[in-house]
Amino acid sequence: MKNNYKELIKQTYNFPQEGFDLQKGILHFNGIDLKKILDNYGTPLRISYLPKIREQIKKARNLFNQSFKKHDYAGSYEFCYCTKCSHFSYVVKTALKENVSLETSSSYDIDLILKLYEHGAISKDSTILHNGIKTDEYIEKIRLLQHQDFKHTITILDSVQELERITTQKLDKPIKIGLRISIDGEPQAAYYTSRLGINKRKLLELVKEKIQPNPLLELHMIHFFVDSGINDNLYYWGEFKKALHLYIQIKQLTPSLQALNIGGGFPIRNSLGFEYDYEYVVDEIVRNIKDACVQACVSEPDIYTEFGKYTVGESGAVIFKVIEQKQQNDTELWYIIDNSLMNTIPDAWSINEKFILLPINKWEYSYKRIHIGGISCDHSDYYNSEQLNQQILLPAFDDKYGEDPLYIGFFHTGAYQQAISGYGGIKHCLIPSPRQIIVDKDEHGNLIDYLYSDEQSVSNMLSILGYDE
Ligand SMILES: Cc1ncc(COP(=O)(O)O)c(C=O)c1O
């Protein structure tokens, strides 16, 4: 049969392609026979292929180092793993095997750093960037690391007030700081300027009035992050150039400044037809920084990245069994899977993120337009379009109970999905569940309140993430 799913994929995309291959009618992901895994463990399941993480880190380093050579770039490249995209011990420890630096984003992240140190996965010479909004607890713990003699911690200030809060307690030795520049939103964004970072107009004044006069503050880094991603478009390059210009102005005032941190935002393959010229984009970043520094007669900075999704996204997949078909009208056929999409790939529901979707078996069957539905009661628990609003086509088969079922996988789901969906009780950016208070009325009608549960503890969170050991 020519009109089958396999031919459709071969004619539409370059297939097989990196990470995906069909062998004896079964999809293989990075060389893993998925049917074998399903037969061993059953569905639904998530799978993490750790070697991919190391490959991605090596790939990014090669791209920057090649471009440095080409442009005779004097600075160095520092790959920082941004823990928030997957805090699991098996992921962070895999990244650390490639000698990456780390970026933290909240108070509990510092406990995670201490655990990694306890486990011998990092040393006191490791570079650790403290990014994100600083609560009092977060500031306390950053201080704790500094007191324990972690030598290369850089606290990236997110606001002017943060500087005041960091310096209210007398510093007993100089600390390295960075400044995050706030980014202007894209034209269609819901706000004009991001809440994250310091307004561009206030930066120079802050440096001159508060940082330069204080001998205990060593300004080391300028940071910006365009959260819609490093895209080769006018908006990205516009924000990039504004940040670069500010870096140069501040460098001219402050010789200690040595690093430009361009944040995360490197994309991953979210469709079999995905195209992105990583080499060109990295080269443009390096060339632009080099040219601007030469023109302004300042030395070129070390370039830091905090790639999250890029590092772990492509290592993950989630696989379901189709448990039922429902033809709800002439044109709408639903495949009901054995879990919830909202609970397993929440970004698909909340920010309309797309993932590569492929069947594991039945590639020799003809295909049909399908809507995929989860078993939760929520009407939003569905997935029915691919990248660029393309409809979903999957193998069509007789829905005979007890027959070999169809299995489908969402691929490249390794970043953020578990934290955002609260796997086991973890939370996005390790922000703990708040304490829970119950209010009721007693038999006389008086209000009574009591504590149902305290704020989620660090030990609870780190235990779920595999740091008990
Ligand atoms: C400050 C900062 N750096 C890095 C990242 C990682 O971004 P991505 O996963 O898109 O690479 C984020 C994500 O929110 C971030 O807020």
Side-chain angles (χ1 to χ4, degrees):
M1 192 178 9
K2 272 286 164 214
N3 183 23
N4 65 16
Y5 184 81
K6 182 171 154 187
E7 289 308 316
L8 169 77
I9 293 295
K10 285 192 161 177
Q11 282 162 21
T12 317
Y13 305 110
N14 175 21
F15 189 91
Q17 62 170 255
E18 187 190 327
F20 299 98
D21 191 7
L22 196 68
Q23 285 187 25
K24 296 188 184 145
I26 296 297
L27 183 68
H28 285 222
F29 174 52
N30 290 301
I32 306 162
D33 179 341
L34 292 175
K35 188 65 176 29
K36 233 173 160 175
I37 298 274
L38 298 179
D39 289 345
N40 272 345
Y41 299 96
T43 58
L45 67 78
R46 259 186 211 286
I47 184 163
S48 298
Y49 174 67
L50 299 181
K52 187 74 195 174
I53 296 172
R54 300 184 69 169
E55 278 170 33
Q56 294 290 89
I57 296 168
K58 284 184 193 142
K59 206 160 94 183
R61 281 206 176 116
N62 282 341
L63 289 173
F64 276 92
N65 290 331
Q66 273 166 21
S67 182
F68 282 1
K69 257 194 205 142
K70 177 170 159 192
H71 296 287
D72 198 18
Y73 193 90
S76 65
Y77 172 60
E78 196 61 45
F79 187 107
C80 301
Y81 174 60
C82 143
T83 62
K84 80 189 94 184
C85 81
S86 179
H87 291 97
F88 285 97
S89 62
Y90 55 83
V91 168
V92 181
K93 287 179 181 174
T94 301
L96 284 169
K97 286 185 187 147
E98 289 298 323
N99 291 321
V100 298
S101 298
L102 295 173
E103 183 231 11
T104 67
S105 34
S106 73
S107 146
Y108 282 17
D109 242 343
I110 305 292
D111 298 277
L112 188 148
I113 295 290
L114 289 168
K115 277 281 179 200
L116 289 168
Y117 176 69
E118 229 176 78
H119 294 181
I122 59 170
S123 77
K124 291 194 173 176
D125 288 323
S126 305
T127 297
I128 302 163
L129 310 184
H130 304 302
N131 217 333
I133 293 173
K134 316 291 176 309
T135 59
D136 289 343
E137 295 78 15
Y138 192 13
I139 290 176
E140 278 288 302
K141 289 186 188 168
I142 293 172
R143 232 180 241 284
L144 178 81
L145 281 192
Q146 287 159 354
H147 281 145
Q148 292 195 5
D149 214 22
F150 280 80
K151 295 184 193 66
H152 301 291
T153 73
I154 303 171
T155 308
I156 300 174
L157 302 178
D158 200 81
S159 68
V160 177
Q161 293 92 314
E162 252 175 36
L163 179 63
E164 281 154 21
R165 288 169 47 235
I166 279 172
T167 47
T168 42
Q169 267 187 45
K170 202 172 157 358
L171 298 168
D172 43 21
K173 55 181 172 183
I175 57 165
K176 280 187 182 162
I177 59 167
L179 298 174
R180 178 169 180 167
I181 302 174
S182 73
I183 290 299
D184 294 331
E186 285 184 279
Q188 70 274 23
Y191 48 80
Y192 185 69
T193 305
S194 167
R195 75 181 191 288
L196 301 162
I198 302 168
N199 193 299
K200 295 183 188 78
R201 291 195 308 274
K202 293 190 182 152
L203 267 181
L204 290 174
E205 190 185 303
L206 175 70
V207 172
K208 284 185 203 157
E209 293 181 5
K210 299 260 166 67
I211 296 175
Q212 283 185 326
N214 189 336
L216 295 174
L217 299 174
E218 181 189 328
L219 178 59
H220 188 80
M221 173 179 285
I222 294 296
H223 165 54
F224 71 100
F225 171 42
V226 178
D227 64 355
S228 53
I230 302 184
N231 295 314
D232 184 21
N233 60 26
L234 274 180
Y235 166 68
Y236 180 78
W237 293 119
E239 290 306 303
F240 172 88
K241 284 188 179 160
K242 283 187 230 169
L244 178 57
H245 181 62
L246 266 170
Y247 171 86
I248 285 173
Q249 281 182 295
I250 297 173
K251 173 75 184 168
Q252 285 165 335
L253 292 174
T254 322
S256 67
L257 184 60
Q258 204 178 312
L260 180 63
N261 173 354
I262 64 172
F266 233 17
I268 58 168
R269 287 177 294 151
N270 58 1
S271 129
L272 290 183
F274 174 83
E275 279 182 23
Y276 184 86
D277 193 341
Y278 290 95
E279 190 179 335
Y280 167 78
V281 170
V282 168
D283 201 56
E284 277 300 280
I285 289 171
V286 174
R287 184 183 68 77
N288 271 288
I289 297 175
K290 170 87 186 188
D291 287 355
C293 289
V294 167
Q295 244 181 37
C297 296
V298 299
S299 57
E300 51 266 50
D302 298 332
I303 299 177
Y304 283 60
T305 59
E306 302 172 346
F307 298 146
K309 186 157 83 171
Y310 171 82
T311 316
V312 292
E314 296 195 5
S315 69
V318 53
I319 300 175
F320 305 108
K321 175 163 73 180
V322 174
I323 55 170
E324 197 177 315
Q325 297 187 28
K326 293 181 93 172
Q327 185 80 51
Q328 294 297 65
N329 59 38
D330 288 351
T331 56
E332 289 178 338
L333 175 61
W334 288 85
Y335 279 3
I336 309 295
I337 53 155
D338 56 352
N339 203 282
S340 153
L341 298 159
M342 288 172 84
N343 287 352
T344 49
I345 45 169
D347 279 353
W349 153 68
S350 58
I351 54 170
N352 210 19
E353 187 93 349
K354 300 299 174 197
F355 298 98
I356 293 177
L357 166 65
L358 289 169
I360 312 302
N361 55 346
K362 298 192 189 292
W363 282 58
E364 70 282 10
Y365 283 61
S366 63
Y367 55 85
K368 251 191 188 165
R369 179 174 186 198
I370 301 295
H371 301 260
I372 300 174
I375 47 173
S376 82
C377 64
D378 201 296
H379 77 99
S380 303
D381 196 356
Y382 71 89
Y383 191 91
N384 71 352
S385 67
E386 291 198 283
Q387 190 58 7
L388 307 174
N389 282 336
Q390 299 226 37
Q391 55 192 11
I392 285 176
L393 301 171
L394 282 174
F397 64 106
D398 276 349
D399 186 24
K400 285 196 196 126
Y401 186 74
E403 251 198 10
D404 180 33
L406 174 68
Y407 295 99
I408 60 170
F410 288 87
F411 295 89
H412 297 178
T413 57
Y416 300 109
Q417 302 315 294
Q418 280 154 296
I420 291 176
S421 63
Y423 168 90
I426 56 167
K427 298 285 179 302
H428 190 23
C429 285
L430 298 191
I431 313 290
S433 308
R435 55 188 60 79
Q436 171 95 4
I437 307 296
I438 308 295
V439 180
D440 200 356
K441 280 187 176 173
D442 66 15
E443 62 272 25
H444 308 294
N446 300 317
L447 287 177
I448 48 167
D449 53 69
Y450 61 93
L451 179 70
Y452 176 76
S453 61
D454 221 332
E455 186 179 71
Q456 186 178 16
S457 67
V458 175
S459 57
N460 172 269
M461 199 92 91
L462 293 186
S463 168
I464 298 163
L465 291 165
Y467 289 91
D468 277 347
E469 211 167 74

